[in-house]
Amino acid sequence: MHSSPAVRPLASQTQRCGVTTALLSVPICRVDGRTMASDGLPNMGTAVTRVLVVEDDPATREALQFVLQRVGGFDTTVAETGGAAIAAFARGGFDAILLDLRLPDMSGLDVCRAVRRESRIPIMVMSAQADEVDVVVGLELGADDYMVKPLGTGELVARLRVLTRPVAAEDASIVTVGPLKLDPASRTATVAGEPLRLVGKVFDLALELGRNQGRAMSRQELLRAVWGPDFGGYERTLDVHIHRLRRLLADSPMGAGCVQTVRGVGFRLDA
């Protein structure tokens, strides 16, 4: 009589390799060495979103691929090194990058820097809690979000969906705050006619503050406007981007002081 294949939980293994399945609503198991969902959960995505997963640990890559494809409905491509990630990105076609900061051939920060020179593609960095300094630098380089390992799978899928959802058409009017001009159509900034390199969410943050010139905006208001209403990411994301914006404005005629902290409220941009 043919015996049934052995089934063992995957949760303990994926927790060890940096991804926890505790937040999944379906049991995850291995059958004869194959990863599967025991209830045949269908893809949840309506349109295929392509994610480049950059992770050198084989077990973590396997777990991430399973979660993103089987639970999230994403199409994934994996890269084991920074060099492979940059090469894959150059071939194009991705909607987001999930990037580990610790890679064997280079820092994930170098990958983030190389990508940001060419594209505004959403980037989520992932690393251990001990790497907070690297995370702050990554956000300053233009990463959009951050997650600490071990990753909660439900949260990971939800936050990737927020990063990759279609952006509604926005007002293309040029925003002027004193000598600062922000052009949302070309996503360029100038101060007194000189280019100012604002990229990614730093540009979006400056634009939102500029559209509300002189008005104190709450932290939650800014997070909703710039990162979306469902953003539940790294709690210091806004502070890091405010700090980056101030640093970029510091050497211009605007000066760092134009981005003011309003105690008990949030931030305000003045000329």
Side-chain angles (χ1 to χ4, degrees):
M1 178 176 177
H2 181 69
S3 60
S4 300
V7 178
R8 59 186 177 88
L10 181 61
S12 60
Q13 174 171 341
T14 54
Q15 286 167 353
R16 289 196 299 272
C17 70
V19 182
T20 174
T21 56
L23 297 182
L24 288 177
S25 59
V26 295
I28 308 301
C29 59
R30 281 189 180 278
V31 179
D32 288 345
R34 294 180 290 110
T35 307
M36 60 179 292
S38 62
D39 74 339
L41 182 71
N43 276 355
M44 296 168 64
T46 55
V48 176
T49 299
R50 293 194 63 200
V51 178
L52 175 60
V53 178
V54 187
E55 169 61 61
D56 65 314
D57 180 73
T60 305
R61 281 199 313 275
E62 179 186 359
L64 286 171
Q65 275 196 292
F66 171 78
V67 168
L68 296 181
Q69 292 178 351
R70 193 72 180 84
V71 180
F74 298 106
D75 179 18
T76 63
T77 297
V78 297
E80 301 176 18
T81 65
I86 293 172
F89 166 74
R91 291 193 290 271
F94 296 105
D95 300 296
I97 298 176
L98 183 59
L99 175 64
D100 185 30
L101 292 182
R102 301 291 181 177
L103 299 171
D105 58 335
M106 66 175 72
S107 168
L109 298 175
D110 294 325
V111 177
C112 185
R113 185 180 292 109
V115 169
R116 272 293 168 261
R117 284 197 293 262
E118 306 293 335
S119 172
R120 292 176 54 214
I121 185 174
I123 300 174
M124 177 183 287
V125 296
M126 52 182 177
S127 195
Q129 183 72 52
D131 296 326
E132 182 173 346
V133 173
D134 282 348
V135 170
V136 170
V137 175
L139 291 172
E140 288 193 348
L141 288 173
D144 299 283
D145 199 2
Y146 159 69
M147 287 191 73
V148 178
K149 293 180 179 178
L151 308 178
T153 55
E155 184 181 3
L156 172 62
V157 169
R159 282 162 63 173
L160 274 175
R161 284 179 177 158
V162 169
L163 287 181
T164 58
R165 68 185 175 190
V167 178
E170 65 175 0
D171 183 359
S173 303
I174 292 176
V175 173
T176 301
V177 183
L180 173 66
K181 291 186 183 296
L182 299 161
D183 184 347
S186 62
R187 294 189 64 82
T188 57
T190 60
V191 177
E194 294 296 319
L196 180 68
R197 189 173 182 271
L198 302 182
V199 298
K201 296 300 184 186
V202 175
F203 180 90
D204 296 333
L205 179 59
L207 188 64
E208 191 63 29
L209 287 167
R211 285 174 172 158
N212 293 273
Q213 178 182 354
R215 181 172 77 84
M217 301 187 70
S218 72
R219 299 174 67 87
Q220 287 304 312
E221 188 178 7
L222 286 168
L223 284 169
R224 285 194 302 269
V226 177
W227 282 271
D230 302 319
F231 180 75
Y234 185 44
E235 62 182 13
R236 289 189 56 200
T237 294
L238 179 59
D239 297 310
V240 169
H241 284 77
I242 287 287
H243 176 68
R244 178 63 172 165
L245 179 58
R246 284 172 170 159
R247 283 180 56 185
L248 290 167
L249 290 168
D251 295 328
S252 77
M254 289 289 289
C258 66
V259 181
Q260 300 178 14
T261 300
V262 182
R263 184 178 297 274
V265 181
F267 302 96
R268 180 179 67 231
L269 178 62
D270 286 316

